[in-house]
Amino acid sequence: MFDQLSQSLENVFGGLRRRASLREQDIENANQEIRRALLEADVALNAVKAFFENFAPRTDLLTQELAQTINPADELLKRAQNALARLLGEGAQRPMRLASTEIELSNPPTILLAGLQGSGKTTTAVKLAFHLQKQKHNPLLVSLDFSRPAAEQQLLTLAQRAKIPTILQSENPENNEGVTGNAITNRVIAFAKHAKNIATKKNALLICDTAGRMQVDEQAMDEIASIAKILTPRETLLVADAMLGQEAANIAESFKQRLQISGIILTRLDGDARAGAALSMMSSAKKPVRFAGTGESIDALEKFDPNAIASRILGRGDLKGLVEKMQKSTPKVEKTSEKQEKKDIAYGKFNLNAHKKQIQQMRNVGGLEGLAKHLPKAMQDKINNARAKSMVNADKLKRQEVIINAMTRDERKNPKIIHASRKKRIASGASATIVEVNRLLKNHASTAKAMKTMAKWDDKALQRNATSLFR
Ligand code: GDP
Ligand code: MG
């Protein structure tokens, strides 16, 4: 994410770190370089200005302040993280109001998605429904896009894949096919009313996909403004393509003139998007980014956490995001065995059942490669070098899981009982060699030892020591 900006900023701070103390001139030079990096990442001018107001309003005072600290470069890096996080909307986010307990009768909680054609609205509607369903919401999807005959079908196909219920245009009793021109808007509005009724009856959270146009045009704006009037949505989210850089923030501004936009969803943050869209949104459009689209698949939607993203941009890693990803990808296991595992780990008893679960988690976050994305840059490079050799690439993880599957319950609970004849049986059951079984057991023994130590760490120690694990 934002690789280019990240690289430039790391160069700046890497250079500062090599100095024992920082003179005013050093800070001014760094400011120049940071400014250039931000502008190259297509960050809007007013956002760059806002950044420096937080980061270094006066270099003379900042120099004095830093002179009092033990590690001036690190202190400056922290300031940069705070200033970037502010720019990304830290502190500006009130939680979304989607709970059905807040329902006024006859007005279901509704999310309306707006945006240009191709920005990712339809995909995002389904991703969002999928995400919110996991948070115990009861989403119901509807396509208010009457501009193309295939638009509803696209939503339906994605929704079926994600097992999210939809309301279909053909189910509307007032459906009148073949109307053209302005009358299309009337049909959309009639359907929006219908959808609202259905959602109310089903006590559901209504998520509405809408038509986009190539340009921000008047007729499209009129249409979505009338839809919003009917639906009175709790959240009206603008879906914007992050690849457009600061232009995305301009688009948000022009939508804001016609619609009460409550937040932004940035799509395509997985590509080589420049940081301009995300960093300019708060200063230009004054709207918080709620979610980031990070791929085409249904689960490629992340909550947008300004502080974590600022940390990632500065190459400081994002342990919180990693923990969330691990939790999200934990496969469902029987409740009792899960409880037992937690207990086992807490007591430093890390057996092969727990080991298998770890392997599954690693596979679900994409092996070391997926994990590395959340770690500080310096560690990422080391991990990427070590990846090919290690036990933790996708193929090897799968092999290890197969081997554990070939063990009996007793063997998994107590690997010590696995002697020669058992190894032979396991190897043949997993179509593996004895060498592979031995390697797994050895790896397990050393992990168990490490887990025993880690079980004694508190959060602070965990953060501190996580770094040394990868040395
Ligand atoms: P709409 O016209 O606004 O409804 O846009 P669509 O939902 O049809 O999306 C247009 C294209 O962008 C599709 O091919 C999507 O798969 C793709 N897309 C949407 N969101 C993302 C994202 O976050 N990352 C990537 N890589 N592709 C996306
Ligand atoms: Mg669409």
Side-chain angles (χ1 to χ4, degrees):
M1 202 185 272
F2 308 145
D3 287 347
Q4 199 196 333
L5 175 63
S6 193
Q7 191 60 58
S8 315
L9 293 179
E10 258 169 64
N11 291 343
V12 177
F13 286 98
L16 292 177
R17 247 201 221 107
R18 282 190 283 278
R19 297 172 185 278
S21 63
L22 297 180
R23 293 165 303 155
E24 189 169 347
Q25 190 59 46
D26 298 326
I27 295 177
E28 256 163 30
N29 293 346
N31 282 353
Q32 288 295 331
E33 287 172 46
I34 294 172
R35 184 183 308 275
R36 195 175 320 127
L38 290 172
L39 291 174
E40 270 169 13
D42 202 30
V43 178
L45 268 175
N46 56 1
V48 176
K49 206 169 141 234
F51 173 84
F52 282 104
E53 274 161 19
N54 281 316
F55 177 64
R58 281 184 52 187
T59 38
D60 54 343
L61 293 183
L62 183 57
T63 313
Q64 288 172 19
E65 207 180 299
L66 291 176
Q68 317 285 322
T69 64
I70 297 171
N71 197 335
D74 272 0
E75 207 55 44
L76 203 61
L77 186 63
K78 247 185 250 162
R79 282 183 81 108
Q81 177 168 342
N82 289 340
L84 277 182
R86 284 272 290 270
L87 217 51
L88 289 163
E90 180 71 27
Q93 301 240 31
R94 55 156 182 78
M96 298 206 290
R97 292 180 309 117
L98 302 174
S100 48
T101 46
E102 292 175 46
I103 300 190
E104 308 115 60
L105 289 175
S106 85
N107 206 18
T110 301
I111 299 178
L112 181 63
L113 297 182
L116 296 187
Q117 173 131 16
S119 56
K121 284 181 305 302
T122 305
T123 320
T124 303
V126 182
K127 284 181 184 177
L128 193 59
F130 186 68
H131 173 87
L132 291 170
Q133 195 175 50
K134 283 197 207 148
Q135 324 257 306
K136 307 271 181 281
H137 285 286
N138 178 20
L140 188 53
L141 281 162
V142 60
S143 170
L144 298 176
D145 182 355
F146 284 45
S147 67
R148 292 179 300 128
E152 180 177 64
Q153 188 54 47
Q154 186 199 353
L155 181 82
L156 185 64
T157 308
L158 291 170
Q160 277 171 344
R161 216 178 290 160
K163 301 197 170 64
I164 310 284
T166 47
I167 308 172
L168 293 177
Q169 284 159 29
S170 55
E171 291 163 7
N172 183 8
E174 284 174 50
N175 192 28
N176 39 353
E177 296 281 338
V179 194
T180 51
N182 259 345
I184 287 187
T185 300
N186 298 338
R187 266 178 60 204
V188 176
I189 289 168
F191 186 46
K193 280 183 187 157
H194 172 70
K196 189 172 163 172
N197 278 333
I198 301 281
T200 308
K201 269 187 212 140
K202 296 195 171 169
N203 208 356
L205 167 65
L206 189 63
I207 300 180
C208 302
D209 182 22
T210 58
R213 297 287 193 273
M214 294 310 281
Q215 298 282 320
V216 181
D217 75 73
E218 277 309 305
Q219 201 199 331
M221 284 297 177
D222 285 345
E223 179 175 299
I224 196 160
S226 343
I227 293 173
K229 228 182 202 161
I230 298 294
L231 292 175
T232 55
R234 297 269 184 89
E235 296 286 338
T236 302
L237 301 176
L238 180 85
V239 179
D241 182 349
M243 299 292 270
L244 296 177
Q246 63 170 302
E247 179 59 16
N250 296 337
I251 292 166
E253 268 187 277
S254 58
F255 267 85
K256 238 177 76 182
Q257 286 163 13
R258 295 299 304 276
L259 269 183
Q260 284 199 8
I261 300 290
S262 62
I264 313 285
I265 299 180
L266 279 180
T267 58
R268 297 205 182 82
L269 275 176
D270 48 313
D272 46 4
R274 288 184 294 173
L279 286 167
S280 308
M281 238 7 126
M282 277 315 287
S283 305
S284 303
K286 308 241 171 343
K287 289 294 160 196
V289 180
R290 294 281 187 192
F291 294 96
T294 55
E296 297 196 61
S297 65
I298 286 179
D299 58 355
L301 186 78
E302 289 176 20
K303 249 186 111 177
F304 191 88
D305 179 341
N307 214 350
I309 290 177
S311 177
R312 258 150 94 168
I313 293 178
L314 288 166
R316 305 185 83 202
D318 163 24
L319 282 177
K320 200 171 139 207
L322 179 62
V323 169
E324 264 163 30
K325 203 165 167 186
M326 298 284 269
Q327 281 167 348
K328 213 164 101 179
S329 64
T330 305
K332 288 193 181 65
V333 233
E334 289 167 58
K335 282 256 163 60
T336 46
S337 74
E338 197 162 0
K339 254 189 212 153
Q340 185 58 43
E341 263 161 34
K342 275 203 182 125
K343 233 172 160 180
D344 284 355
I345 292 177
Y347 289 108
K349 262 195 283 166
F350 178 73
N351 62 22
L352 281 158
N353 284 320
H355 195 130
K356 179 175 157 185
K357 194 162 152 197
Q358 268 198 351
I359 289 176
Q360 286 171 333
Q361 281 182 335
M362 280 304 283
R363 286 179 54 209
N364 286 334
V365 298
L368 271 186
E369 200 177 349
L371 187 80
K373 287 190 195 134
H374 295 270
L375 294 172
K377 194 74 196 295
M379 278 197 244
Q380 284 185 24
D381 297 341
K382 279 188 195 164
I383 286 183
N384 286 333
N385 289 336
R387 200 173 71 224
K389 285 182 271 172
S390 83
M391 300 279 283
V392 199
N393 74 35
D395 288 345
K396 287 185 186 162
L397 286 170
K398 177 79 206 156
R399 297 282 305 144
Q400 293 172 57
E401 198 180 333
V402 171
I403 295 174
I404 296 179
N405 284 343
M407 296 174 183
T408 64
R409 238 180 33 215
D410 287 343
E411 287 164 349
R412 284 186 219 176
K413 264 197 195 146
N414 186 12
K416 285 201 184 97
I417 63 172
I418 306 178
H419 293 300
S421 66
R422 288 183 186 253
K423 281 182 192 168
K424 216 162 151 190
R425 196 209 71 242
I426 293 166
S428 86
S431 306
T433 61
I434 304 264
V435 176
E436 279 179 295
V437 177
N438 277 334
R439 196 181 298 140
L440 171 83
L441 290 171
K442 204 172 142 207
N443 174 265
H444 172 73
S446 62
T447 313
K449 203 172 143 205
M451 295 295 285
K452 214 169 179 171
T453 317
M454 273 163 68
K456 295 180 200 136
W457 293 347
D458 56 10
D459 275 359
K460 273 219 180 94
L462 191 65
Q463 285 223 3
R464 198 169 55 235
N465 294 333
T467 320
S468 64
L469 281 179
F470 293 99
R471 286 220 177 100

